[in-house]
Amino acid sequence: MTHEKSNSQAKPVGIWIRVSTEDQAKGESPEHHEKRARYYAESKGWNVLEVYHLEAVSGKSVKDHPEAQRMITHIQSGHITGLIFSKLARLARNTKELLEFADIFQAEGADLISLQESIDTSTAAGRFFYTVIAAMAQWEREEISDRVAASVPIRAKLGKPLGGAAPFGYQWVDRKLVPDPKEAPVRKHLYELFLKEHRKKTVARLLNNAGYRTRNGSKFSDTTVDRLLRDPSARGLRRANYTKSLGEGKKWVIKPEKDWVLSEIEPIVSEELWDQCNRILDEQRAQRKPPAKKTVHLFSGLVYCETCGTKMPVPSKSSNYYCRKCRNKIGIADLEFIFQEQLKAFFLSPEEIAKNLSHADQTIKAKEELLATLMKESAQIREEMDKIMRLYLDGTMPQEAVGRHYRPLEERFKQLENQIPELQGEIDFLKIQYLSSDEIVSEATNLYSQWPNLEPEDKRRIVETITERISISGQDISIHLSYIPQSLNSSALATQPHGCVAILDVRLRAKKPVSKAYPSSLKTIGDHIRKRRLDLKLTQKQAAKQLGVDEASVWNWETGRTEPLVRQIPAVISFLGYDPFVSDGKSLADELRRYRVKHGLTQKELARQIGIDPATLSRIQKGGHKSFKSVISKVVSFIDSGAARNPKSTS
């Protein structure tokens, strides 16, 4: 039998056997299940290191069983990296325990292989099983969380404790929050120091130098100082039901104020002192520029330059995946569009799907028919053996005749007992591989229609799952997709172990989009900018510098994806050397619109210059408001006056 790996590199796995007394009565012996699992492992080229026996053990709760604990220990230590069992109900009938097992395996990067359900999490489709299991677990946790959360505001409004430690400076006495005689003076001193120093780190240092410590004995930090300053409990107002967790190991966030439950407690500091400190914090926060969120592009880490073989990242403020060595590049939006279109072309073709899956389907069907024949023969032989034994026990058949008739049947039955689980193992292997391929094709078929509606995080996760790499050459793009069934002819099938279909990568090839040429007509502002840039023999980066924007903005304008903002129009007019927004319209609305665009003013800014309400200006620009002659006269005077020629004089 052909193995996927050599013995020294083979994946170490275990076999889980839990067969009830009822199952054994039906002929499903532990040995039968073990053989079936071993043949599957052999088909995969895996090394079976352990067998976990739980014969006649109820599936209601198995996690605390010594064999289950031994298996978990082996998974966590890396002794085995996968567990094979006949079906999910054999692993655990308890849904909660099944979810717990799945969590443990996923956390350790180990695989679950259920032969009956054709689930193998070492395959692409099997990994969807983890996704479903995780969704079930999350749903269960959220159900519990929702029930608990629903009771919190009710308990808070009734004045009942919600559990948890009291805020620093307070203690629980008779189920009520009261100032702590040791901590309250420190909390008050913290406010006084901040009002004087205006620096959280300075306050923390002064408190630590004075020997003060937090409740758990740690030193004060600027984060702790900020939290205590913001907490309104010190001013006598206790907040409840105002935070929620984003999940295990994740941060807590503030709920909307409408969900808060506020109650009065004894204050530690005056309301005036609390307001002064928090006003300082608000002013300091308003002056700080928040850090920019790091962009993770859709194909980051997957795009390679075919010429030199290095990865192509997206440089800062660029709209391209770029190879610094070869100067090879492709637009971010262009690559996503090509990726989506190539998936559509490959997966939405019935011919492609039929060609890639028909061989596996035929092979499985033939082996299932053979299995049914063997099982029928096994049942018939068992009946014959039982019949001979009954005749012997009744005294109808002599002992020498029993041996002559019984032994050949017994020998054939043992052959079938070995052959049936081996064939089942082969079918399990083929089904899992086939369903793996089928599942990916099915998911990819839906992917095209759903792609525009997916969140960036979801797109990124899908790309990582099905994409091996994307190679970019001078004019070509090669997309290597993983876990897709390779189309094999009959001669190739014959070379595969047990006729199985190999799961190999498919390469989708496309042409890079041709750079937009010199515009033949000037239909958009981007056409004007591109024509001017090419006339001046400038790159997009050089043009962006003159326009005072980044390279991505120029690229978006020229490709028609976006248009310049109103405040950017003056720079565009300056770059072009003429006003591309001039229209033939002679109405007051046209004049206002032309003036506003030319000077890069918003409606609000222009209304302020004229001295009218922005809503009024909006109605005038739409052709309305003609009945207010005094307002119209004021607007006309503004347009005709020297202010229109020099708007800065009116600001």
Side-chain angles (χ1 to χ4, degrees), residues 189-260:
H189 187 45
L190 181 146
Y191 282 91
E192 293 169 345
L193 285 174
F194 184 75
L195 185 62
K196 177 183 176 182
E197 302 293 342
H198 288 205
R199 294 289 182 270
K200 291 178 286 187
K201 287 187 177 180
T202 302
V203 172
R205 177 174 54 80
L206 293 173
L207 289 173
N208 292 330
N209 290 344
Y212 297 117
R213 295 292 183 269
T214 63
R215 185 174 294 165
N216 63 8
S218 304
K219 288 186 176 182
F220 283 89
S221 65
D222 57 333
T223 305
T224 306
V225 170
D226 181 88
R227 177 174 55 80
L228 293 175
L229 289 171
R230 290 291 191 185
D231 187 353
S233 60
R235 59 177 284 192
L237 195 62
R238 180 201 174 204
R239 292 181 302 184
N241 196 45
Y242 70 98
T243 60
K244 67 176 180 180
S245 172
L246 295 180
E248 187 176 350
K250 297 182 180 179
K251 65 179 182 179
W252 289 70
V253 296
I254 304 295
K255 290 183 179 181
E257 288 193 29
K258 62 182 180 63
D259 295 335
W260 296 4

Side-chain angles (χ1 to χ4, degrees), residues 218-390:
S218 304
K219 288 186 176 182
F220 283 89
S221 65
D222 57 333
T223 305
T224 306
V225 170
D226 181 88
R227 177 174 55 80
L228 293 175
L229 289 171
R230 290 291 191 185
D231 187 353
S233 60
R235 59 177 284 192
L237 195 62
R238 180 201 174 204
R239 292 181 302 184
N241 196 45
Y242 70 98
T243 60
K244 67 176 180 180
S245 172
L246 295 180
E248 187 176 350
K250 297 182 180 179
K251 65 179 182 179
W252 289 70
V253 296
I254 304 295
K255 290 183 179 181
E257 288 193 29
K258 62 182 180 63
D259 295 335
W260 296 4
V261 177
L262 304 175
S263 57
E264 292 186 0
I265 57 175
E266 185 179 341
I268 291 177
V269 300
S270 67
E271 188 172 337
E272 181 183 4
L273 176 58
W274 190 91
D275 287 339
Q276 286 176 322
C277 291
N278 276 267
R279 195 177 302 117
I280 295 169
L281 288 173
D282 291 338
E283 291 172 356
Q284 291 176 345
R285 181 169 295 180
Q287 293 170 1
R288 289 198 305 270
K289 185 178 180 181
K293 185 178 180 181
K294 184 178 179 181
T295 304
V296 178
H297 297 283
L298 185 59
F299 302 102
S300 292
L302 298 171
V303 184
Y304 290 81
C305 174
E306 194 158 306
T307 305
C308 64
T310 58
K311 289 184 179 181
M312 295 173 59
V314 178
S316 177
K317 296 183 179 180
S318 173
S319 58
N320 300 305
Y321 293 94
Y322 184 74
C323 175
R324 292 182 175 88
K325 185 176 180 180
C326 305
R327 299 193 175 183
N328 190 12
K329 67 179 180 179
I330 184 170
I332 295 171
D334 288 335
L335 184 55
E336 180 173 350
F337 176 78
I338 290 168
F339 183 85
Q340 184 184 2
E341 288 298 312
Q342 287 299 306
L343 286 182
K344 175 189 177 184
F346 183 77
F347 290 113
L348 298 190
S349 166
E351 294 79 11
E352 285 288 347
I353 294 175
K355 183 175 68 175
N356 282 279
L357 297 179
S358 61
H359 293 298
D361 195 21
Q362 293 169 7
T363 304
I364 292 171
K365 186 176 180 181
K367 289 188 177 292
E368 284 182 332
E369 289 175 354
L370 176 58
L371 177 63
T373 301
L374 294 180
M375 293 185 74
K376 184 178 180 181
E377 183 183 353
S378 176
Q380 289 173 346
I381 291 174
R382 179 182 285 275
E383 287 182 7
E384 287 294 323
M385 292 168 65
D386 291 342
K387 183 178 178 181
I388 291 172
M389 289 304 299
R390 284 196 299 272

Side-chain angles (χ1 to χ4, degrees), residues 303-531:
V303 184
Y304 290 81
C305 174
E306 194 158 306
T307 305
C308 64
T310 58
K311 289 184 179 181
M312 295 173 59
V314 178
S316 177
K317 296 183 179 180
S318 173
S319 58
N320 300 305
Y321 293 94
Y322 184 74
C323 175
R324 292 182 175 88
K325 185 176 180 180
C326 305
R327 299 193 175 183
N328 190 12
K329 67 179 180 179
I330 184 170
I332 295 171
D334 288 335
L335 184 55
E336 180 173 350
F337 176 78
I338 290 168
F339 183 85
Q340 184 184 2
E341 288 298 312
Q342 287 299 306
L343 286 182
K344 175 189 177 184
F346 183 77
F347 290 113
L348 298 190
S349 166
E351 294 79 11
E352 285 288 347
I353 294 175
K355 183 175 68 175
N356 282 279
L357 297 179
S358 61
H359 293 298
D361 195 21
Q362 293 169 7
T363 304
I364 292 171
K365 186 176 180 181
K367 289 188 177 292
E368 284 182 332
E369 289 175 354
L370 176 58
L371 177 63
T373 301
L374 294 180
M375 293 185 74
K376 184 178 180 181
E377 183 183 353
S378 176
Q380 289 173 346
I381 291 174
R382 179 182 285 275
E383 287 182 7
E384 287 294 323
M385 292 168 65
D386 291 342
K387 183 178 178 181
I388 291 172
M389 289 304 299
R390 284 196 299 272
L391 291 172
Y392 171 71
L393 294 173
D394 292 343
T396 308
M397 182 177 288
Q399 185 173 355
E400 58 273 12
V402 171
R404 190 169 59 253
H405 290 88
Y406 190 87
R407 286 196 188 95
L409 293 173
E410 184 181 31
E411 185 177 345
R412 177 56 180 158
F413 185 78
K414 287 180 179 179
Q415 290 175 347
L416 291 173
E417 282 293 284
N418 290 326
Q419 194 174 357
I420 287 173
E422 180 179 1
L423 186 57
Q424 284 178 324
E426 292 176 15
I427 293 172
D428 293 332
F429 174 80
L430 287 172
K431 273 190 174 182
I432 289 173
Q433 296 291 70
Y434 170 74
L435 291 177
S436 227
S437 309
D438 204 12
E439 183 74 17
I440 288 294
V441 171
S442 175
E443 289 298 321
T445 303
N446 296 328
L447 185 61
Y448 179 75
S449 59
Q450 295 297 327
W451 188 267
N453 304 321
L454 295 176
E455 294 294 327
E457 296 82 5
D458 294 329
K459 288 183 179 180
R460 174 67 186 177
R461 188 167 57 251
I462 291 169
V463 166
E464 287 177 337
T465 300
I466 69 173
T467 310
E468 188 70 25
R469 66 184 281 152
I470 300 174
S471 300
I472 310 295
S473 64
Q475 296 299 326
D476 297 320
I477 299 171
S478 182
I479 303 172
H480 302 240
L481 299 179
S482 302
Y483 306 109
I484 305 300
Q486 184 188 39
S487 177
L488 298 174
N489 56 34
S490 56
S491 60
L493 273 172
T495 65
Q496 299 297 316
H498 303 292
C500 67
V501 179
I503 306 276
L504 301 176
D505 71 315
V506 167
R507 302 188 182 189
L508 307 180
R509 297 192 181 275
K511 291 290 183 183
K512 286 174 68 174
V514 179
S515 180
K516 192 174 179 182
Y518 194 88
S520 57
S521 60
L522 304 178
K523 297 180 180 179
T524 66
I525 187 64
D527 292 335
H528 285 272
I529 293 171
R530 183 171 183 80
K531 178 180 180 301

